[in-house]
Amino acid sequence: MFIDQVHIHVKAGDGGAGCMSFRREAHVPKGGPDGGDGGSGGDVILEADSSISSLIDYRFKHHFKARRGTHGKGSRMHGANGENLILKVPTGTQVRLYDEENKQSGVLLADLTHNGEQVIVAKGGQGGRGNIHFVTSTRRAPAFAELGEPAEECWVELEMKLMADAALVGMPSVGKSSLIARMSAARPKIADYPFTTLVPNLGMVYSEDHNFVVADVPGLIEGAAEGKGLGHEFLRHIERTALILHVIDATGGWEQRSAVKDYFKINHELVSYAKELKDRPQIIVINKVDIPGTDEAIQELKQAVYEQALEAAGGNEFSDDFAIPQIHCVSAVTGAGVDALIAATAQMVYELRSAAAEDEKLGVQYEQIWEHQRLTRDKHFEVRNLGGHVFTVSGKAVERMVIQTEWDNEEAIAHLQRRLEKLGVEKALVQAGARNGDEIRILSRAFAFESAIESDEAIKRYNEVADKIDD
Ligand SMILES: Nc1nc2c(ncn2[C@@H]2O[C@H](COP(=O)(O)OP(=O)(O)OP(=O)(O)O)[C@@H](O)[C@H]2O)c(=O)[nH]1
Ligand SMILES: [Mg+2]
């Protein structure tokens, strides 16, 4: 069975607590603070691995957990860090947040298209800092330490999209499966009724110059982009193949369809599904030329393709934009023309791969992009005015800070306030209309708002400055 979508629950390791401790020596009644930091919890990381071909490993096991960090100790002893948990997934896996309760997929966390590419899906909690960090000129003996940061946990959706180099695309029964069987060792089901192929097949094609992977996807019909037939399911598989082998039945099938109309219909479906597919390179493959009486249809299609190319080049055959896609006449049954098709496909795949490798050299650092997006999501928070001088603040980082605070320790609370201020929570509250004494709620905690920015005049000035900083 072809498994291409799974949902898993990931939990990173919690951070260990920082230690609150004071040095004890024989002759010193009360030494300085010496509480060490807690260790950080391990992250849960997904890593693309080209040697893995499906998501089957995640079909029966759904819960994955990284190790926690241990607590800090006296004598400045640092807790041990929890190990990261690395889960391998096939190259071509897209990762999304998943709402398990409502069975809905959420934001895209990463699109792992390169071998070795990683994304952190659950960040381990940082170890809490021990009390040695909180010494100031006025506070010689800080009687608090940070608790460990709680780890992230979430459901994610993994979806594998085919990473074939070329995909055989066309109406049902045009001979896509017959062609992949001719080109490679793949042995899909072949039959004279539509929708014989229900799941994509992959085949490795060995060519003299460059080997490549070809995919045989189920037939497309008019309206596929709106979900007709096996529509969407399969269009998404070709979204990422660099080259389309557009297969056309020279006989028009039992419905006596026109080859020209089929050609335009399929292109229309591709573009309606995703605009980028308009410029996706194509090789046109006219199949079943062993059957007598197909010459006319072949000529008509060649003429139509030529006219289309000319129109795209503004009617000028000598312009640089004038390019006619390659057209190959083949027979999957007799094998006629198939070797030439393989050679042409291999050459084009090679050129497309080289161009992609050039792009990579330009230094697209995918991992940094995913990590940057993660941090932005993490720091994001929302302020809501509930009315009656009550405000709520919600957001991942903000909530973590609150959980990390020992609530019955005043020094710890003052420390929390400084951290919230740094994140911009105070500014956002003032802008949302909070005034001193208003109630601020974060998770199940509530406290009174205290800000140096009090009068309306001061708020106005503050907002002006803040706006400038934002720009
Ligand atoms: N004469 C002739 N028949 C062919 C050729 N290629 C395929 N056929 C026949 O056309 C029918 C459909 O072939 P398939 O390979 O199953 O077509 P498909 O495009 O994979 O069809 P779906 O999976 O339903 O979309 C079968 O009966 C094949 O034997 C060819 O080159 N010549
Ligand atoms: Mg088929």
Side-chain angles (χ1 to χ4, degrees):
M1 193 179 161
F2 185 86
I3 309 275
D4 68 349
Q5 201 188 57
V6 292
H7 298 115
I8 58 170
H9 181 261
V10 288
K11 184 175 191 311
D14 290 327
C19 175
M20 202 276 288
S21 148
F22 294 94
R23 212 165 46 230
R24 255 183 263 178
E25 285 165 43
H27 306 292
V28 191
K30 192 165 189 217
D34 73 348
D37 302 347
S40 293
D43 302 334
V44 180
I45 297 171
L46 296 183
E47 183 180 304
D49 184 333
S50 299
S51 67
I52 294 178
S53 57
S54 80
L55 291 166
I56 199 146
D57 289 351
Y58 303 100
R59 189 147 176 239
F60 302 107
K61 187 170 190 283
H62 294 143
H63 292 268
F64 298 89
K65 222 172 136 180
R67 303 288 293 265
R68 58 163 306 141
T70 61
H71 299 321
K73 293 196 188 122
S75 317
R76 298 176 174 249
M77 265 165 57
H78 203 291
N81 292 336
E83 225 179 284
N84 290 341
L85 176 66
I86 298 184
L87 302 173
K88 304 271 180 122
V89 295
T91 306
T93 299
Q94 287 193 341
V95 187
R96 289 196 165 72
L97 270 184
Y98 183 65
D99 176 350
E100 164 68 6
E101 219 167 288
N102 301 309
K103 308 282 178 232
Q104 266 175 6
S105 40
V107 295
L108 180 76
L109 302 181
D111 190 357
L112 303 173
T113 50
H114 297 76
N115 188 36
E117 190 178 339
Q118 295 188 335
V119 61
I120 299 174
V121 281
K123 181 77 186 158
Q126 285 214 334
R129 285 174 293 174
N131 66 339
I132 44 176
H133 292 279
F134 304 113
V135 180
T136 62
S137 55
T138 52
R139 183 174 58 210
R140 287 305 171 78
F144 74 101
E146 282 173 348
L147 297 177
E149 219 180 29
E152 276 184 341
E153 61 180 304
C154 58
W155 278 90
V156 291
E157 175 176 280
L158 308 181
E159 181 177 58
M160 183 187 152
K161 296 214 175 183
L162 286 186
M163 291 291 284
D165 297 301
L168 292 156
V169 175
M171 299 287 234
S173 293
V174 295
K176 299 177 297 296
S177 300
S178 306
L179 273 170
I180 201 176
R182 262 283 167 192
M183 297 169 81
S184 73
R187 289 292 167 261
K189 190 169 161 191
I190 292 168
D192 60 357
Y193 53 85
F195 300 115
T196 308
T197 304
L198 296 176
V199 293
N201 300 296
L202 286 184
M204 187 77 185
V205 182
Y206 298 95
S207 151
E208 228 168 82
D209 303 324
H210 316 284
N211 301 334
F212 61 92
V213 177
V214 67
D216 160 34
V217 295
L220 283 183
I221 54 169
E222 196 169 3
E226 284 93 55
K228 276 210 187 132
L230 296 166
H232 267 141
E233 276 300 297
F234 303 111
L235 278 165
R236 71 188 159 86
H237 289 295
I238 48 181
E239 220 172 284
R240 315 211 270 177
T241 45
L243 174 64
I244 289 172
L245 301 180
H246 187 153
V247 187
I248 294 181
D249 186 338
T251 70
W254 55 271
E255 298 161 296
Q256 293 296 302
R257 300 185 311 258
S258 129
V260 173
K261 277 194 188 150
D262 277 7
Y263 172 70
F264 286 115
K265 258 186 214 161
I266 293 292
N267 279 344
H268 177 76
E269 288 311 318
L270 293 175
V271 176
S272 318
Y273 178 70
K275 275 203 288 302
E276 310 88 85
L277 292 176
K278 182 173 190 294
D279 304 315
R280 191 67 45 94
Q282 284 195 2
I283 290 180
I284 298 168
V285 183
I286 307 181
N287 189 32
K288 308 195 187 177
V289 298
D290 56 290
I291 295 178
T294 51
D295 293 352
E296 201 181 319
I298 295 169
Q299 281 319 314
E300 270 175 24
L301 183 59
K302 283 187 173 167
Q303 183 64 26
V305 170
Y306 170 83
E307 282 167 14
Q308 188 193 28
L310 192 61
E311 195 188 318
N316 180 3
E317 206 171 304
F318 301 102
S319 107
D320 288 342
D321 298 331
F322 182 67
I324 309 180
Q326 287 190 48
I327 302 179
H328 287 256
C329 292
V330 303
S331 165
V333 166
T334 66
V338 173
D339 284 345
L341 172 65
I342 290 177
T345 307
Q347 179 59 28
M348 204 139 155
V349 162
Y350 171 73
E351 284 165 16
L352 291 166
R353 276 193 204 140
S354 310
E358 277 304 309
D359 283 352
E360 232 163 273
K361 267 194 229 140
L362 296 178
V364 184
Q365 292 286 327
Y366 295 93
E367 279 159 33
Q368 284 176 19
I369 298 173
W370 309 136
E371 182 58 8
H372 177 74
Q373 290 180 352
R374 190 188 68 76
L375 285 172
T376 311
R377 281 194 303 273
D378 192 68
K379 282 193 192 142
H380 178 79
F381 62 85
E382 246 169 79
V383 172
R384 281 179 53 207
N385 186 344
L386 299 187
H389 297 282
V390 179
F391 294 78
T392 59
V393 185
S394 58
K396 275 189 177 175
V398 170
E399 289 169 9
R400 265 203 321 271
M401 287 175 187
V402 167
I403 296 174
Q404 218 182 342
T405 302
E406 268 185 286
W407 217 253
D408 45 16
N409 185 322
E410 265 181 44
E411 282 187 54
I413 293 174
H415 176 63
L416 168 71
Q417 273 171 350
R418 284 191 298 277
R419 291 179 80 189
L420 291 178
E421 197 181 307
K422 249 191 178 166
L423 203 67
V425 174
E426 180 187 358
K427 176 181 137 189
L429 278 166
V430 167
Q431 285 178 337
R435 299 292 175 268
N436 280 353
D438 286 356
E439 185 180 317
I440 310 300
R441 293 182 191 160
I442 304 178
L443 291 175
S444 58
R445 302 290 183 182
F447 45 90
F449 188 54
E450 270 174 47
S451 169
I453 322 159
E454 260 182 301
S455 72
D456 287 347
E457 183 54 29
I459 289 164
K460 206 172 135 224
R461 270 205 316 274
Y462 183 91
N463 282 340
E464 279 165 14
V465 174
D467 286 345
K468 278 201 191 108
I469 295 170
D470 283 346
D471 295 341

